[in-house]
Amino acid sequence: MHAPDASSARSLQAQGIGVAFAGLRALHGVNLALRPGQVLGLIGPNGAGKTTMVNVLTGFQAPTQGQVVLNGQVMNGRGAHTFRRQGIARTFQAGRLFKDLSVLDNLAVTGVALGASRPEAEQQAWHLLERLKLTPLAPRGAGALPYTDERRVAIARALMRSPQYLLLDEPAAGMSEHEASDLAANVRDMARELNCGVLLIEHNVRMVLETCEYIVVLDSGEVIEKGTPEAIRHSAVVRHAYMGTTADVPEEAEAVLG
Ligand SMILES: Nc1ncnc2c1ncn2[C@@H]1O[C@H](COP(=O)(O)OP(=O)(O)OP(=O)(O)O)[C@@H](O)[C@H]1O
């Protein structure tokens, strides 16, 4: 294991990450760095390795190679709970809310589990629900929420205790363009207000191009391109990766191609 370099101060870094599942190479030599306040996009065709990357960066998956470095500290060998306590939060493709609890309690118990007193946790829960325009949902049972509300509540819950880094795994899935663009605006605002680094994974490439200042593109477990939205929009490599996935040009490729 290498000592982290000086540039890893105040960032969440993947350094040479590889993951193999019984011979299947899900990730290979992936590097990326997320800084506080930055909104970084991670895109790629189905099976590219995006969720595996989020799992590695949040302690849910141990890398086979490479290291995760948080603000200069190597995180390998620590569990997901430690990552969360140290300020790395995430959402899942499925909301994974506590279905038997109200929306408010989903946030409050998370705050308490992370070390807040119950009154502190409730106060922050109300604040986040208000900030994300979710206050009317507070007393509702989380198990009965429509899918898109479940996603929004999952983001609010991930923001409890003000994480330094937030990793969003397809937060806009199932949302209309209008809802996705509303969510994108919220994500940008929260990143700025909380000085939180956000890694956004989305099949909705249009949303990523509009929301992120920098984008990393994975294909078959490797970084095939990185750059500004403008560079990604015009990348022949990205175009090829998306075009190659199906006979029809998928919606996300259309967005990339502009
Ligand atoms: N736990 C696992 N065991 C075995 N193979 C896995 C496991 N998790 C992921 N994979 C495989 O690793 C590769 C990358 O999967 P991953 O879910 O990270 O891709 P993705 O880019 O998030 O895909 P999608 O956009 O379809 O969600 C795929 O081939 C997948 O089948």
Side-chain angles (χ1 to χ4, degrees), residues 176-255:
S176 66
E177 278 300 320
H178 175 73
E179 289 170 325
S181 115
D182 202 42
L183 178 68
N186 268 325
V187 166
R188 273 195 306 266
D189 290 350
M190 299 307 281
R192 196 174 48 238
E193 282 170 32
L194 302 172
N195 196 30
C196 178
V198 176
L199 182 72
L200 176 64
I201 291 188
E202 256 304 325
H203 275 286
N204 184 338
V205 175
R206 194 185 308 278
M207 178 185 173
V208 175
L209 291 171
E210 286 171 7
T211 312
C212 301
E213 54 211 76
Y214 198 80
I215 296 162
V216 174
V217 187
L218 283 180
D219 191 18
S220 302
E222 297 192 40
V223 175
I224 56 161
E225 189 68 284
K226 51 191 174 179
T228 62
E230 198 54 19
I232 297 300
R233 200 185 293 275
H234 295 109
S235 163
V237 176
V238 176
R239 175 191 295 243
H240 182 262
Y242 274 93
M243 296 279 280
T245 55
T246 121
D248 300 321
V249 179
E251 190 192 332
E252 55 265 45
E254 292 279 10

Side-chain angles (χ1 to χ4, degrees), residues 110-142:
T110 300
V112 170
L114 292 169
S117 67
R118 177 81 198 189
E120 278 169 354
E122 281 194 12
Q123 191 183 21
Q124 193 183 19
W126 281 114
H127 172 74
L128 285 169
L129 291 174
E130 188 184 340
R131 182 63 192 74
L132 293 168
K133 302 192 187 80
L134 298 171
T135 307
L137 299 182
R140 299 261 303 269

Side-chain angles (χ1 to χ4, degrees), residues 15-248:
Q15 297 181 350
I17 293 295
V19 172
F21 294 114
L24 174 97
R25 204 174 71 168
L27 291 173
H28 179 69
V30 177
N31 297 305
L32 63 79
L34 178 62
R35 296 188 312 276
Q38 179 188 31
V39 184
L40 178 70
L42 183 64
I43 63 172
N46 288 333
K50 304 178 295 293
T51 295
T52 305
M53 195 63 216
V54 168
N55 289 341
V56 168
L57 286 170
T58 52
F60 283 81
Q61 170 71 51
T64 326
Q65 293 172 325
Q67 54 192 18
V68 175
V69 181
L70 170 64
N71 302 335
Q73 184 183 16
V74 176
M75 296 293 287
N76 292 44
R78 298 173 196 215
H81 192 62
T82 304
F83 276 63
R84 180 65 175 93
R85 288 188 81 91
Q86 296 202 2
I88 303 172
R90 70 171 296 178
T91 62
F92 296 87
Q93 282 187 19
R96 292 214 199 175
L97 297 179
F98 308 125
K99 296 200 181 301
D100 295 335
L101 299 183
S102 69
V103 166
L104 181 72
D105 278 346
N106 262 269
L107 273 65
V109 299
T110 300
V112 170
L114 292 169
S117 67
R118 177 81 198 189
E120 278 169 354
E122 281 194 12
Q123 191 183 21
Q124 193 183 19
W126 281 114
H127 172 74
L128 285 169
L129 291 174
E130 188 184 340
R131 182 63 192 74
L132 293 168
K133 302 192 187 80
L134 298 171
T135 307
L137 299 182
R140 299 261 303 269
L145 292 177
Y147 185 64
T148 51
D149 283 341
E150 192 185 4
R151 304 263 156 155
R152 294 191 185 92
V153 171
I155 294 173
R157 187 178 65 172
L159 285 167
M160 286 299 293
R161 301 292 278 167
S162 307
Q164 300 176 72
Y165 303 98
L166 173 61
L167 288 76
L168 301 175
D169 196 352
E170 294 192 32
M175 291 187 181
S176 66
E177 278 300 320
H178 175 73
E179 289 170 325
S181 115
D182 202 42
L183 178 68
N186 268 325
V187 166
R188 273 195 306 266
D189 290 350
M190 299 307 281
R192 196 174 48 238
E193 282 170 32
L194 302 172
N195 196 30
C196 178
V198 176
L199 182 72
L200 176 64
I201 291 188
E202 256 304 325
H203 275 286
N204 184 338
V205 175
R206 194 185 308 278
M207 178 185 173
V208 175
L209 291 171
E210 286 171 7
T211 312
C212 301
E213 54 211 76
Y214 198 80
I215 296 162
V216 174
V217 187
L218 283 180
D219 191 18
S220 302
E222 297 192 40
V223 175
I224 56 161
E225 189 68 284
K226 51 191 174 179
T228 62
E230 198 54 19
I232 297 300
R233 200 185 293 275
H234 295 109
S235 163
V237 176
V238 176
R239 175 191 295 243
H240 182 262
Y242 274 93
M243 296 279 280
T245 55
T246 121
D248 300 321

